[in-house]
Amino acid sequence: MARVSLTPHRTPFFRVMEWYSRRTYGRVLDPGKAMAHQPRVLWSYLRFEQSLAKWNRLDGDLKVLAEMTSAAAIGCSWCMDFGYWVGHGRGMDPEKLRAVPAWRDSELFSPLERDVMAYAEAVSATPPEVTDELAARLRESLGEPALVELTAMIAVENLRSRMNSALGLTSQGFKEVCDLRDRAAATGTAAGTARRG
């Protein structure tokens, strides 16, 4: 249960954020509701996220895996749920997205993906547990600009996950919406195939 109310004062700024959130995500995001209790925090956070969206040196799928792995290491169900939705929207394999919390036991991930996920866990540990060998492999595979971006994105995910977890925010059902769409698409395809056959 959330540790702050998710019904902040409906200031003009919050109403704009609410409208944008519904338009973009189909619902008002609970972290936005929580942060709206301190509008300067929300404003700074939104500007920061807009800036992050322009970073482009790291492959987007690797970014999603790093963020979800960090969220799993911290235990943020809200971020895991939202990360699944983001990855699904990118067309990533749903089975792979579901396997993130137990990635070490999965055969679904490439060696590079496994290094990225190991790095996300190592950066998210307190204190960080990054080894020179892992950093060197990633620097060789990704290049220095992408490695810096990867590190920064994991640090950002730590901010998100730790804040959401501390405030008691839990999943909002983004994964379930994706799964329902997948089932509806599969059913529609099967029905279409049966009609054509």
Side-chain angles (χ1 to χ4, degrees):
M1 182 167 170
R3 295 182 176 112
V4 295
S5 83
L6 298 179
T7 54
H9 294 295
R10 293 184 47 77
T11 64
F13 173 47
F14 177 73
R15 287 198 296 269
V16 169
M17 187 278 296
E18 194 175 39
W19 169 83
Y20 177 81
S21 186
R22 277 200 186 99
R23 183 172 162 255
T24 306
Y25 308 110
R27 64 193 75 186
V28 182
L29 304 183
D30 287 349
K33 294 177 191 176
M35 283 186 262
H37 288 290
Q38 199 337 346
R40 289 183 182 205
V41 170
L42 178 58
W43 177 246
S44 295
Y45 181 79
L46 292 175
R47 286 178 35 214
F48 183 51
E49 287 287 348
Q50 285 179 330
S51 177
L52 296 175
K54 296 174 185 167
W55 295 0
N56 62 2
R57 299 307 294 268
L58 179 66
D59 173 80
D61 288 0
L62 293 177
K63 192 178 295 189
V64 169
L65 292 175
E67 290 171 327
M68 288 185 71
T69 303
S70 179
I74 292 165
C76 179
S77 68
W78 195 94
C79 292
M80 288 296 296
D81 181 45
F82 190 72
Y84 185 95
W85 183 81
V86 170
H88 189 273
R90 290 185 52 78
M92 293 176 70
D93 178 1
E95 190 178 349
K96 188 178 272 193
L97 294 170
R98 283 190 290 274
V100 167
W103 67 270
R104 289 181 189 277
D105 302 321
S106 173
E107 309 256 335
L108 295 172
F109 301 101
S110 72
L112 176 57
E113 289 170 335
R114 296 178 76 74
D115 277 349
V116 164
M117 297 168 88
Y119 190 71
E121 282 185 355
V123 173
S124 300
T126 304
E129 299 172 348
V130 177
T131 65
D132 291 342
E133 294 77 18
L134 178 57
R137 282 199 311 272
L138 285 167
R139 186 174 59 245
E140 178 68 26
S141 298
L142 300 173
E144 290 184 335
L147 177 57
V148 169
E149 185 171 319
L150 171 63
T151 307
M153 284 310 307
I154 295 165
V156 168
E157 185 54 45
N158 270 255
L159 166 71
R160 295 170 181 149
S161 289
R162 291 179 190 279
M163 187 168 184
N164 291 341
S165 292
L167 292 175
L169 305 181
T170 57
S171 68
Q172 281 188 258
F174 284 98
K175 179 184 175 298
E176 287 75 16
V177 168
C178 295
D179 289 346
L180 286 172
R181 286 182 188 151
D182 288 346
R183 283 196 290 277
T187 304
T189 302
T193 303
R195 282 194 298 271
R196 285 194 300 274

